[in-house]
Amino acid sequence: MIEGFYFGAVRAGLKESKNLDLAGFYSDIPCYVAILSTKNSFKAAPIIRNNDIIKENKFIRGLIVNSGMANAATGEDGYKDACSMCEIFAQKFNIKENETLVASTGIIGKRIPLTNIRDSLPLLKKSIRPDGYKDFAKAIITTDKREKIVIKQENGVTILGIAKGAGMISPSMATMLCFIFTDLSVDRDYLQESLYNAVSNSFNIISVDGDMSTNDTVILFSPFKNEHNTKKYEIFKRLLYGVCFELAMKILEDGEGATKIIKIRVSGNISKDDCKKIATAISRSLLVKTAMFGCDMNWGRILAAAGASGVNIDPFNVSLIVNGDMIFQRGKVAPYDEQLANVKMKNKNIVIELIVGESIYNEYIFYTNDLSVEYVHINADYTT
């Protein structure tokens, strides 16, 4: 897929299932990396360890990822375990420990069984191959129903994106892991800036359940070469956004028990920050999300969520449009075809538009999904 990049995965016995649960990435040449991670105060040990490594080391050549255990809220022992995973991987692949990154996902509070990791590394190394990214994607999922892979190519630039995530998804960042690989050599600063912009308009504008994970990480790898083809930077930036946005939509589609994707557009003569507050409030309303699941045009729940956002809204200067139908205007319900509106509520894609004021100066678009009975079952039984 990308020259010099190799991927693999094995079953290390980290999950009760017999599925793959340990993945690895190795590069023939050093890579620049850009990283964005969760703002949760209870950051998982791998995130802390990676941030420490990036400060002291320019280049990365390896990555080890496990599913089943998050290695979060595990104290100093958890940090040592994250370091040990990198050390074990580095020794097997004959690279330096500080050239290796680590990521984990799964149940919070459980330590990684290092014996399983060590015993599995010989098989993991044997599994490494250029097209092994499909197994890599399978190994990192937890409650996901399917692996998430997006590949984009244009004018000699290739970007491969692999992600996992279905629940515990909320902005800053959207439990989510995402690993992106490009064959274009990109300056380190431009790489970080491009990733920030792409994530801001993809993973940071989605929410499944409003819960921010302890482990969210996006890592972008670019091979280091002495010369950078800056003429292709704009292509790279556009493809990177496309990869991130498609992966974000795949996460929403796979949201635990989700049956619909809901696009929320808030606009008007208010600030962009206020538009964001209103859109986020609507996306996090359990009453709105359950109404969407039930195909119920309960528009009052949408207005109630917007009104509770903390933004000063004049009810007599608000318009609500759902799936193209004007539902509410100038302080009261608008005349609309209820039968047709209810039929549209059965669509997989729902569009909610809220306009505050007569003029539109700013807008904010946010995506979420519905909340089903399956979501409750999955998360009620997750650790048992």
Side-chain angles (χ1 to χ4, degrees):
M1 170 53 63
I2 296 177
E3 185 177 357
F5 285 6
Y6 305 90
F7 308 84
V10 295
R11 179 178 179 266
L14 305 176
K15 296 189 289 193
E16 290 186 7
S17 69
K18 294 183 179 181
N19 297 329
L20 299 171
D21 54 18
L22 185 66
F25 159 75
Y26 167 79
S27 173
D28 277 341
I29 64 173
C31 295
Y32 279 137
V33 298
I35 298 181
L36 290 172
S37 54
T38 183
K39 293 183 180 178
N40 195 307
S41 295
F42 287 90
K43 291 178 177 62
I47 288 176
I48 301 171
R49 190 267 175 196
N50 289 345
N51 289 337
D52 289 343
I53 288 297
I54 292 304
K55 290 177 185 176
E56 66 180 47
N57 193 47
K58 255 192 197 180
F59 302 116
I60 298 298
R61 291 184 59 192
L63 168 70
I64 181 169
V65 187
N66 78 275
S67 59
M69 298 153 192
N71 196 5
T74 48
E76 293 182 4
D77 289 333
Y79 185 88
K80 292 177 182 177
D81 290 342
C83 293
S84 294
M85 286 179 67
C86 292
E87 181 183 6
I88 295 168
F89 185 91
Q91 287 176 350
K92 181 56 66 175
F93 284 84
N94 197 29
I95 59 177
K96 298 176 182 178
E97 181 185 338
N98 65 1
E99 292 179 319
T100 307
L101 299 181
V102 58
S104 301
T105 182
I107 298 173
I108 294 172
K110 290 192 175 183
R111 290 185 61 187
I112 306 290
L114 293 178
T115 300
N116 294 51
I117 303 296
R118 187 174 288 106
D119 293 346
S120 301
L121 255 293
L123 288 176
L124 179 61
K125 187 173 182 179
K126 286 183 179 180
S127 75
I128 293 284
R129 60 190 192 278
D131 63 347
Y133 59 88
K134 293 179 181 179
D135 285 342
F136 183 106
K138 291 177 182 178
I140 67 174
I141 63 176
T142 50
T143 59
D144 309 57
K145 290 182 178 178
R146 61 192 71 90
E147 55 271 19
K148 301 165 183 67
I149 300 171
V150 174
I151 301 170
K152 289 190 176 294
Q153 296 177 307
E154 182 182 329
N155 197 23
V157 178
T158 299
I159 299 182
L160 163 66
I162 302 170
K164 65 84 54 181
M168 209 173 189
I169 303 294
S170 183
S172 301
M173 282 172 328
T175 276
M176 182 190 96
L177 297 179
C178 178
F179 308 105
I180 306 170
F181 310 86
T182 182
D183 60 354
L184 185 68
S185 182
V186 181
D187 171 79
R188 193 179 186 185
D189 291 338
Y190 191 85
L191 198 71
Q192 187 70 43
E193 177 189 343
S194 299
L195 182 64
Y196 177 84
N197 291 334
V199 168
S200 296
N201 294 291
S202 57
F203 300 118
N204 277 356
I205 60 168
I206 66 170
S207 176
V208 169
D209 45 24
D211 287 311
M212 186 191 298
S213 168
T214 55
N215 291 61
D216 289 338
T217 300
V218 178
I219 307 177
L220 170 58
F221 296 82
S222 169
F224 171 73
K225 297 175 184 176
N226 290 327
E227 294 183 5
H228 301 298
N229 189 345
T230 55
K231 293 180 180 179
K232 293 186 177 182
Y233 273 17
E234 285 302 314
I235 296 174
F236 162 77
K237 196 172 184 178
R238 184 174 66 255
L239 293 183
L240 178 62
Y241 164 71
V243 167
C244 289
F245 186 81
E246 286 189 31
L247 287 172
M249 292 302 107
K250 285 179 180 290
I251 288 173
L252 279 186
E253 290 172 0
D254 197 23
E256 295 163 339
T259 65
K260 301 177 188 296
I261 291 182
I262 306 161
K263 181 178 182 179
I264 304 168
R265 177 188 287 114
V266 177
S267 61
N269 58 358
I270 56 177
S271 69
K272 188 162 187 174
D273 187 56
D274 282 345
C275 291
K276 180 178 179 179
K277 288 179 181 177
I278 295 170
T280 303
I282 294 171
S283 76
R284 291 181 175 176
S285 168
L286 300 183
L287 290 178
V288 171
K289 290 164 75 71
T290 50
M292 297 299 106
F293 174 68
C295 304
D296 181 15
M297 176 56 83
N298 196 336
W299 54 267
R301 293 181 177 181
I302 301 172
L303 294 181
S309 65
V311 177
N312 187 21
I313 300 174
D314 178 4
F316 290 90
N317 205 14
V318 168
S319 298
L320 174 64
I321 303 168
V322 181
N323 295 327
D325 297 323
M326 181 70 71
I327 304 297
F328 179 90
Q329 195 173 32
R330 295 187 176 86
K332 62 181 181 180
V333 62
Y336 70 95
D337 187 329
E338 290 189 37
Q339 186 175 358
L340 179 60
N342 283 324
V343 170
K344 290 181 180 180
M345 290 301 294
K346 296 179 181 180
N347 295 343
K348 181 181 178 181
N349 294 287
I350 303 294
V351 180
I352 297 172
E353 300 176 79
L354 191 76
I355 304 171
V356 181
E358 299 296 332
S359 303
I360 296 177
Y361 297 111
N362 290 297
E363 74 168 14
Y364 189 81
I365 298 175
F366 200 83
Y367 295 84
T368 189
N369 48 19
D370 57 343
L371 186 65
S372 70
V373 176
E374 187 179 351
Y375 178 89
V376 178
H377 286 310
I378 290 172
N379 287 284
D381 302 332
Y382 185 58
T383 64
T384 53

